[in-house]
Amino acid sequence: MDALPSGFFAKRSILCECTSSSFAAGNIIALQFAWSGPAPRGGQFFLIKPWRSGVFLARPLSVAGWEPRGGPEDGGILRFLAARRGRGTWELADLRAGEEAELSGPLGKPFEAASFPKGPLALVGGGIGIAPLLALAVELGSRPFDFYAGFRSTSFGLESLKARSLAIATEDGCEGLKGRIPDFFSPQGYEAVFACGPLPLLRAVGDACIAGGIPCFLSMEKHMACGVGACLGCTVKTTGGNKRCCADGPVFRAEEIIFDD
Amino acid sequence: MTERTIPKKPAPAPDFTALIAGVRLRNPVIAASGTFGYAREYEGLLDIAGLGGICTKGLTLAARPGNQGRRLHETPSGLMNSIGLENPGIPAFIERELPRLRTLGPAVIANLSGSTVEEYVEGARLLDASEVDMIELNISCPNVKAGGMAFGLDSAAAASVTGPVRKAAPHKPLMVKLSPNAPDLAAVARSCVNAGADALSLVNTFKALAIDIRARKPVFGNISAGLSGPAIRPIAVRMVWELWEVVKVPLVGMGGIACAEDALEFLLAGAVAVQVGSATFAHPPAMTEIIAGIGEYMKEQDLHCLGELSIR
């Protein structure tokens, strides 16, 4: 039997209390939950379903932040950003402090920034895609990193970010640079790049990094059912064949991904 | 004022054993094929050791990559899927997944699929020589172009694969998984039993269609896909009820079971065990709760063994 990486089994399904729900911007809601399960890493996600729910499946949300309460067994506060898109995410956005939701996780593979200990790192996010990068940023601690964030109109979620530099671009020019964030990003000078956001962003950032020979990791998004690698519904096409976004990812090396949609 | 009552002898714990064609399950709840991977994926999210059985993902002789494009679409109280039997192939399953599955405790049921009778037969031979407890012959996958559900739609086709698989796997109990899309399900069921099926499981997913009105085209590349989830449950219960009158072999019921009450409907309708599928996606501990809930119901109804659940 092949050995599983440590922590592979460290996931739980727990009915949790929503401790805070607040408007972030546009259709984005910031949610917090009291979590008593294993600590998550940046890039991992949870399946979340309000206890009172009219949809069938839970929704996968990337961890945007994690505040441990004490020791590793003591749990803490999980933070998420949810974009209202369909009925499921509307329900999440309608959660109020004190209400309960079932959370299953932490799921998927995290960003492995520890493998790149030398130079500065770049984190490139678009819209709700900044969420897992915010969690990664906290893990980086005092390591130097630059954060590139693109939005449609107004920024959100960046309040407590401690980046060496922060570049913001908005498509309508309301804030920061006018345009899309990949247009203002070059991977030169970075030891590694971590990105999450819409497919065109991932593709542009990935291509630039591959061309420049800079290691690049992309967090992919797919429709999911089980979230744990059992149903094979969230396939990502890679150079190594079909992979499961939820269990083999959601973080993949840029050169693995075949963008054909 | 106290009233003295003679303490009742504590009721013995209900006997939860389910017997399907000689295979003894510790309880009647089985993880349905295609929804539980090879079990290790769910480690930590529910009590896997406490399950009655585990059906593997649909296995074919050679590895398959599955379908392109969109594979999932949620519906009200349901889920459409078009996975297309992605699996590592039976030899790889036996070598890499089965040894670990065997150690978990629940009965291991290999779901056997294929495109041709020859492919099914060759796969059945390999499984017959393996450590699986039972073979579930899948003649009902609606998401593959060749074979799959085509074998489950009429009685002659069903017999044409069940008979040879029966002969190729003489040492394993054989359960045939039926398609609710068969125009005459009773005829298919009779035909499978006559061809050697020891048990029947039903139902696989319903062939269904969703259209993306923005893109103005079907959601799935294969146009249609298979619908599961609570939306199909009452139809599945009706099919189990009807087949109970048609065949005498054990029936394993499934289709949209999400809680103990749902499972009990199938058991009361005459099923000896149930399978739970997409409910696990929506609520990972669902099967653990269903097992506990069936036990509570049996105590409450003063039933001592599973067989007493049936109202048939």
Side-chain angles (χ1 to χ4, degrees), chain B residues 163-187:
Chain B
V165 164
R166 169 75 290 170
K167 284 195 194 73
H171 304 102
K172 301 291 182 194
L174 180 65
M175 174 160 78
V176 180
K177 185 168 181 177
L178 302 178
S179 170
N181 303 300
D184 186 349
L185 189 59

Side-chain angles (χ1 to χ4, degrees), chain A residues 11 43-47 104-110 226-228 246 249-250, chain B residues 45:
Chain A
K11 54 188 181 232
Q44 291 190 297
F45 67 95
F46 280 76
L47 287 179
S104 299
L107 304 173
K109 301 228 165 88
C226 74
V228 299
C246 64
Chain B
L45 296 183

